Amino acid sequence: MTHRAIAIDGPSGAGKSTLAKAIAKELGFLYVDTGAIYRTVGLAALQRNVSPADEPAVLALLPSLVITSGYGEDGLQHMYLQGEDVTEAIRQHAVSDAASQVSAIPGVRAYLLEMQRRFAAEHDVIMDGRDIGTVVLPGAQVKVFLTADPPDRAQRRYEELLARGQTADFDTVLADVEARDYRDTHRAAAPLKQAEDAILLDTTGLPFEESRALLLTLVKEKLAL
């Protein structure tokens, strides 16, 4: 049986995860947050006092890590590090920056690639990240490049952090978003870019429901649902 795959790529804060979860629920697909996997590696580095930018140290750390994921009754992906549920811990602002740095390391991307592809081989999936349509699932039936302008994405991230009870400063969040954009688009390993056959969807200024409706319509048309 050939499983169907929807690949959603785009910069940090574009709404990929939120929209992908909604579409997955609507279609009965498995949602795979690949960013959560990189965040788990970033968290592991921070917990072990390893600089996320220290490539040799991060690579030396990988064999000792036991990273798994599972799906709870809520249908959402939970990440586990050495058996501990770190789903909430990986959403800390410091972990976002660490994830961006470790994801730029070619050896880390290669190490995690098979884990990501295994999901798509076993399920109908909607997978979001930075290089899903270009590297992880180049044969995906639907490819979307989801974006929004930096201030818009920073505002979403700022509100998300406040909602989680974390301290945040908008200007700092915006600077971090712009710095992450630069790293993601300029890294040597699988840089963030729109796949040639991906459809561009810009959600700048759009409320969630409108963005969801646009994405769902696009996906249904491509899959002839």
Side-chain angles (χ1 to χ4, degrees):
M1 175 181 177
T2 301
H3 291 287
R4 295 165 294 178
I6 302 167
I8 301 182
D9 290 310
S12 175
K16 300 186 300 297
S17 297
T18 306
L19 289 171
K21 289 175 188 175
I23 300 303
K25 184 175 182 180
E26 185 99 16
L27 300 178
F29 279 38
L30 184 68
Y31 167 62
V32 181
D33 177 2
T34 63
I37 303 173
Y38 288 100
R39 283 173 176 271
T40 304
V41 175
L43 176 64
L46 294 177
Q47 288 180 338
R48 291 157 178 77
N49 295 314
V50 170
S51 169
D54 187 339
E55 182 171 346
V58 172
L59 292 179
L61 184 66
L62 292 178
S64 69
L65 302 183
V66 180
I67 297 174
T68 56
S69 63
Y71 293 83
E73 294 181 359
D74 54 7
L76 300 181
Q77 177 179 331
H78 287 249
M79 295 305 303
Y80 300 88
L81 176 61
Q82 315 303 100
E84 177 187 356
D85 189 334
V86 294
T87 306
E88 287 298 320
I90 62 174
R91 297 299 166 184
Q92 298 174 46
H93 188 56
V95 177
S96 295
D97 191 58
S100 178
Q101 294 182 69
V102 299
S103 68
I105 300 174
V108 172
R109 305 197 73 83
Y111 187 82
L112 299 178
L113 182 60
E114 185 55 38
M115 178 189 298
Q116 298 171 63
R117 286 179 171 167
R118 189 166 61 247
F119 284 116
E122 299 172 352
H123 308 274
D124 287 332
V125 299
I126 179 164
M127 190 177 295
D128 72 82
R130 301 292 189 280
D131 62 346
I132 309 305
T134 54
V135 177
V136 181
L137 301 177
Q141 290 91 338
V142 183
K143 297 180 185 178
V144 178
F145 192 84
L146 187 69
T147 190
D149 66 29
D152 194 87
R153 290 185 281 120
Q155 183 64 34
R156 297 174 190 175
R157 179 61 176 159
Y158 173 70
E159 292 174 358
E160 176 187 319
L161 291 170
L162 293 181
R164 291 177 179 274
Q166 299 181 35
T167 301
D169 171 73
F170 176 78
D171 289 337
T172 300
V173 173
L174 176 58
D176 287 346
V177 164
E178 292 174 336
R180 185 164 188 181
D181 284 353
Y182 183 86
R183 283 197 300 269
D184 287 347
T185 55
H186 288 77
R187 68 190 181 207
L192 170 66
K193 62 181 180 180
Q194 182 177 341
E196 291 184 1
D197 53 348
I199 298 171
L200 177 65
L201 182 58
D202 191 325
T203 64
T204 300
L206 296 182
F208 171 76
E209 278 305 320
E210 189 172 341
S211 299
R212 184 197 65 79
L214 283 172
L215 180 58
L216 183 60
T217 297
L218 185 159
V219 168
K220 286 185 172 181
E221 288 178 351
K222 294 290 288 185
L223 294 178
L225 296 176

